[in-house]
């Protein structure tokens, strides 16, 4: 294994695994595998890039650091020479962490400074300019992310936000420097390191900026960012002859299907509304779950009765409704109960024969993936930018794990069709 990624949630892990597998241009990408948590076995010999999926975005910072260092240790044991700490392209975190504390802990463990921090993902409208993060034409704190129930982003200046989470100073490579080319970026990063700046926000507005940054980081031990930061990395290994640049081959999965949605993002709520026009949907209220009126058996019965009709089950409410439920029952209690409900539902569905599974929401995806005993996952084609098909090598199922804000209005229908598609390259 050449490249190791530590991702702070499961949908983000599949996002960057897709970027590494796809690569850029005709060179192709790297042979990539995604792992559910830190494995207790060695990677297959042909794997060139390994992505470890952690559920560490919203847990206490000290626990996130401990998990991330364990992942680093395993990846080092597989022979990795470069590491990426992957977080969301909307920089999901609080003023206390977890992005800053984890990044600093990894940097200390590897003995490096002047580390790139770039969440930009232009394909989905996320860009960084003068250290400020934008979602399409809106600053991050006006994009809807300010209402996120777990990690409300109330400041678009991610340099300032990251500074609140870290012990050391945070540097900046502005877009004017990025556009001057690789030598200018490399020189500025070195100056940041010499000043003792461990993490450095690097501006990026389009894919060319990200590829240029990746080229600069060919020999960097550690990078941090969204999946876009990995766009230029496969070419570094392929050009050097270390990676083969093989195209991916996908064979679809046939059989019963299910969609589980636990995201409260506006995008996911719109996708549910579109899907409900032509397919059966089951809305689950938090009150019914907490009161024991909605159970795993109810949900499994609904899905089973609607096999072949693309059934969808969701708890997605507005941010205001989510906040009200948290206030009534307690945030940790609600999230734990819903995660457990979806996890056990998915386990029973797969054990009962479901072979195509679509999950929306990072926390929900993490709970489901951990419950299914999937082993390592092969990376298939994209359903939409940032959302690849995942194939379990241990179980005969195909999955699509979607971050809340990703996907077209008809995403759920498109995803189920993609999971069943025939051979493709």
């Amino acid at each position: 294994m050449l490249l190791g990624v530590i991702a702070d949630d499961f949908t983000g892990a599949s996002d960057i695994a897709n970027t590494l597998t796809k690569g850029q241009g005709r060179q192709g990408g790297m042979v990539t595998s995604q792992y559910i948590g830190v494995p207790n076995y060695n990677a297959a010999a042909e794997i060139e890039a390994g992505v470890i999926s952690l559920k560490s975005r919203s847990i206490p910072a000290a626990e996130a650091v401990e998990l991330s260092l364990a992942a680093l240790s395993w990846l080092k044991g597989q022979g990795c020479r470069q590491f990426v700490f992957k977080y969301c392209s909307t920089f999901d975190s609080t003023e206390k962490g977890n992005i800053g504390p984890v990044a600093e802990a990894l940097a200390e463990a590897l003995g490096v400074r002047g580390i790139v921090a770039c969440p930009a993902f232009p394909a989905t409208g996320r860009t960084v300019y003068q250290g400020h993060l934008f979602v399409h034409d809106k600053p991050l704190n006006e994009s809807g992310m300010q209402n996120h129930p777990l990690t409300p982003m109330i400041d678009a200046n991610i340099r300032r936000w990251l500074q609140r989470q870290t012990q050391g100073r945070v540097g900046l490579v502005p877009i004017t420097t990025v556009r001057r080319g690789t030598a200018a970026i490399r020189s500025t990063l070195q100056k940041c390191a010499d000043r003792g700046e461990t993490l450095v926000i690097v501006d990026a507005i389009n894919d060319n900026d990200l590829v240029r940054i990746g080229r600069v980081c060919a020999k960097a031990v550690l990078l941090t960012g969204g999946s876009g930061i990995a766009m230029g990395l496969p070419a570094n290994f392929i050009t050097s002859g270390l990676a083969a640049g093989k195209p991916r081959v996908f064979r679809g999965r046939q059989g019963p299907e299910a969609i589980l949605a636990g995201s409260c993002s506006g995008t996911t709520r719109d996708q549910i509304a579109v899907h409900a026009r032509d397919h059966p949907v089951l809305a689950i209220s938090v009150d019914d779950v907490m009161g024991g009126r909605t159970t795993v058996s109810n949900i499994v019965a609904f899905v089973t009765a609607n096999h072949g009709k693309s059934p969808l089950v969701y708890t997605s409410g507005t941010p205001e409704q989510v906040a009200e439920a948290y206030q009534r029952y307690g945030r940790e209690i609600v999230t734990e109960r819903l995660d457990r409900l979806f996890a056990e539902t998915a386990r029973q569905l797969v054990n009962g024969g479901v072979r195509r599974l679509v999950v929306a929401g990072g926390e929900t995806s993490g709970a489901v993936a951990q419950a299914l005993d999937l082993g390592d996952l092969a990376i298939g084609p994209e359903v939409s930018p940032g959302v690849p098909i995942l194939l379990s090598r241990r179980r005969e199922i195909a999955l699509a794990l979607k971050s809340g804000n990703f996907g077209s209005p008809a995403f759920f229908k498109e995803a189920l069709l993609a999971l069943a598609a025939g051979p493709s390259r």
Side-chain angles (χ1 to χ4, degrees):
M1 192 181 288
L2 302 166
L3 174 63
V5 179
I6 301 164
D8 68 356
D9 85 334
F10 288 71
T11 56
S14 59
D15 182 0
I16 196 168
N18 174 63
T19 301
L20 292 169
T21 304
K22 183 170 59 174
Q24 287 291 300
R26 295 182 178 181
Q27 281 184 310
M30 303 175 76
V31 180
T32 305
S33 190
Q34 180 175 339
Y35 303 90
I36 308 301
V38 181
N40 58 6
Y41 54 90
N42 288 327
E46 70 271 14
I47 301 302
E48 298 168 336
V51 180
I52 295 182
S53 317
L54 300 179
K55 201 170 184 286
S56 59
R57 179 172 296 172
S58 303
I59 64 176
E63 294 179 24
V65 167
E66 183 179 0
L67 280 174
S68 301
L69 290 175
L72 176 66
S73 178
W74 185 84
L75 291 167
K76 288 172 69 175
Q78 305 308 302
C80 292
R81 57 189 69 191
Q82 185 174 62
F83 305 90
V84 179
F85 170 38
K86 195 278 175 193
Y87 40 81
C88 189
S89 58
T90 46
F91 217 70
D92 298 15
S93 58
T94 69
E95 290 184 276
K96 295 182 179 180
N98 294 346
I99 293 174
V102 170
E104 281 192 321
L106 294 174
E108 182 179 356
L110 294 167
V112 290
R113 288 181 176 175
I115 299 158
V116 168
C118 181
F121 191 4
T124 57
R126 280 71 161 170
T127 57
V128 182
Y129 176 74
Q130 297 295 346
H132 290 67
L133 181 54
F134 290 82
V135 179
H136 299 291
D137 61 342
K138 296 180 180 179
L140 178 65
N141 59 310
E142 298 176 15
S143 68
M145 280 302 299
Q146 70 272 25
N147 299 318
H148 194 286
L150 298 179
T151 53
M153 296 304 298
I154 57 175
D155 192 350
N157 186 333
I158 55 172
R159 185 186 186 189
R160 182 166 55 207
W161 195 253
L162 189 57
Q163 185 68 73
R164 294 168 180 157
Q165 301 176 356
T166 54
Q167 300 298 316
R169 293 186 301 168
V170 178
L172 173 68
V173 179
I175 193 64
T176 51
T177 301
V178 173
R179 295 288 168 84
R180 280 165 47 204
T182 56
I185 301 171
R186 186 177 294 110
S187 174
T188 305
L189 286 171
Q190 185 58 56
K191 290 176 182 176
C192 290
D194 294 342
R195 289 195 297 265
E197 295 167 350
T198 300
L199 300 171
V200 184
I201 301 295
V202 182
D203 285 355
I205 296 174
N206 59 37
D207 286 352
N208 289 334
D209 297 330
L210 290 168
V211 171
R212 192 176 296 118
I213 295 165
R215 196 175 300 132
V216 170
C217 294
K219 295 184 179 180
V221 177
L222 176 65
L223 300 84
T224 81
S227 63
I229 199 62
M231 287 181 63
L233 302 184
N236 295 333
F237 289 103
I238 294 167
T239 301
S240 67
L242 293 171
K246 296 178 181 178
R248 54 185 167 190
V249 178
F250 168 67
R251 295 185 181 279
R253 294 284 188 269
Q254 304 297 320
E257 74 292 349
I259 305 166
L260 305 176
S263 167
C264 67
S265 76
T267 298
T268 297
R269 297 199 313 273
D270 290 344
Q271 290 163 341
I272 291 169
V274 169
H275 196 77
R277 295 172 190 167
D278 303 304
H279 304 91
V281 300
L282 175 65
I284 298 173
S285 82
V286 172
D287 289 337
D288 285 346
V289 173
M290 301 303 293
R293 293 180 294 277
T294 294
T295 66
V296 171
S297 297
N298 301 146
I299 302 172
V300 170
F302 168 79
V303 172
T304 302
N306 287 286
H307 280 335
K309 301 177 183 178
S310 305
L312 183 153
V313 179
Y314 71 95
T315 59
S316 305
T318 65
E320 293 77 16
Q321 290 170 328
V322 173
E324 183 181 347
Y326 285 170
Q327 186 173 10
R328 187 181 306 127
Y329 300 107
R331 192 192 82 175
E332 292 183 1
I333 294 174
V334 171
T335 54
E336 190 276 336
R337 187 74 65 87
L338 291 179
D339 282 355
R340 183 150 40 95
L341 179 75
F342 275 122
E344 180 59 21
T345 296
R347 192 184 68 80
Q348 290 193 22
L349 287 173
V350 170
N351 287 345
V354 164
R355 292 294 172 261
R356 293 177 291 147
L357 185 62
V358 179
V359 187
E363 296 297 317
T364 305
S365 293
V368 167
Q370 288 177 319
L372 290 181
D373 188 28
L374 299 170
D376 54 316
L377 301 168
I379 314 301
E382 278 186 320
V383 177
S384 66
V387 188
I389 292 169
L390 302 174
L391 299 167
S392 172
R393 292 187 172 95
R394 182 175 295 171
R395 309 188 73 166
E396 287 295 313
I397 62 172
L399 305 95
L401 307 179
K402 182 190 88 72
S403 291
N405 290 312
F406 284 15
S408 70
F411 173 83
F412 293 125
K413 179 179 179 180
E414 294 166 355
L416 287 178
L417 289 173
L419 294 177
S424 66
R425 289 180 179 269

